[in-house]
Amino acid sequence: MMNAVTPYLRVLAGFFAGVVTWLAIVSLVQLDFGSVAISLIMAAGLWYLAVGRPIRNHFARIKAEKDALAARAQAGHEAFLAGDTSAAFAPPPEAPARKPVRRGVVIASVVAAGFVLIGIISDISDGLDADSSTEDITETSAMLVPAPPPAAPAGQVPLAPQPSSAASAGSGTTQSLMPNVMCMNLQTAQDTIQEAGVYFSRSEDATGKGRMQISDRNWVVVEQRPAAGTPIAEGDAVLSVVKYGEPGDCS
């Protein structure tokens, strides 16, 4: 019974090994070397449980085959010296047959690898949300720039532009106000600022370590500049963040 379950346990260990390895890469990008060391130790143990025994069995089988051939060659050499040529030129023994890989184990391995890959792509996509806002800024700027007035026909004096209703009211443009995003995770805070009409905001590591915010949902806002209710434009909003579980994470 245990022999039937063991391959699937190795697949499970490989799944978690892939996840922890990705966490080590993310921590390395964020310059969190303590988390990198812990993640690498855990990943090494999980990878050993996943592929350690199959690799050992593979090399043990190769060594056994080489030892068998060497013993057969030595026995044949001794038989030849003793005058027994039939034993000396006998064919070598057949190599032991390899155990076939179960189809269920292969399917489970493919599914586990797919889940790990989906998680990595999702994390990378979350980390690129802020960068993608450049296109939104360009589109918004194009919408805010007024079109030039049509040229007057030849022989006519162009009329002076009439003030718009917004200008006559004493306000040229409508300004966005900074919302209150304290204690939100970084992804939700960015979405809230975009809903207020500003599509580009910045984030920084509140601990001063300069870590990058790869996965926005893993970070929480502990300070915002400017204060809520202040008029802001593109790039004015600055969010100081820490990772969940760190001091000051609003918990």
Side-chain angles (χ1 to χ4, degrees):
M1 180 62 181
M2 193 61 186
N3 291 335
V5 178
T6 299
Y8 296 97
L9 294 178
R10 293 198 191 101
V11 172
L12 186 61
F15 169 77
F16 286 107
V19 173
V20 176
T21 301
W22 170 246
L23 293 178
I25 295 173
V26 172
S27 298
L28 180 62
V29 173
Q30 296 174 347
L31 303 180
D32 189 354
F33 297 108
S35 297
V36 171
I38 295 174
S39 298
L40 287 179
I41 293 174
M42 294 178 60
L46 290 169
W47 281 121
Y48 178 80
L49 293 176
V51 298
R53 184 173 179 181
I55 292 176
R56 290 199 312 271
N57 291 343
H58 173 73
F59 286 107
R61 183 172 60 253
I62 293 177
K63 184 177 183 303
E65 293 175 0
K66 291 182 178 179
D67 291 344
L69 289 175
R72 179 61 180 169
Q74 181 65 26
H77 177 68
E78 294 176 356
F80 180 79
L81 293 178
D84 187 0
T85 57
S86 60
F89 294 101
E94 295 183 0
R98 297 182 179 182
K99 295 182 179 180
V101 180
R102 299 176 185 174
R103 181 178 300 178
V105 175
V106 175
I107 295 175
S109 301
V110 172
V111 172
F115 276 115
V116 173
L117 184 60
I118 291 173
I120 292 174
I121 294 174
S122 177
D123 269 356
I124 293 175
S125 300
D126 290 342
L128 298 178
D129 283 345
D131 296 338
S132 63
S133 60
T134 305
E135 299 179 359
D136 297 333
I137 298 173
T138 304
E139 296 177 359
T140 305
S141 301
M143 294 174 61
L144 295 177
V145 174
Q156 294 185 8
V157 179
L159 299 176
Q162 299 295 324
S164 63
S165 58
S168 61
S171 176
T173 57
T174 302
Q175 290 184 320
S176 300
L177 300 180
M178 179 70 176
N180 183 9
V181 295
M182 286 292 294
C183 295
M184 293 184 183
N185 72 62
L186 180 56
Q187 182 64 60
T188 304
Q190 291 173 345
D191 295 341
T192 302
I193 294 173
Q194 289 184 6
E195 291 173 359
V198 174
Y199 294 90
F200 176 62
S201 59
R202 294 174 289 168
S203 62
E204 62 184 12
D205 185 358
T207 64
K209 297 179 180 179
R211 297 173 296 178
M212 298 176 60
Q213 290 76 57
I214 299 297
S215 179
D216 295 339
R217 292 183 175 86
N218 293 335
W219 297 78
V220 59
V221 179
V222 296
E223 181 184 353
Q224 65 177 64
R225 301 192 302 272
T230 305
I232 56 173
E234 299 295 340
D236 289 346
V238 181
L239 308 177
S240 296
V241 295
V242 297
K243 295 181 71 174
Y244 280 105
E246 294 181 341
D249 65 349
C250 299
S251 60

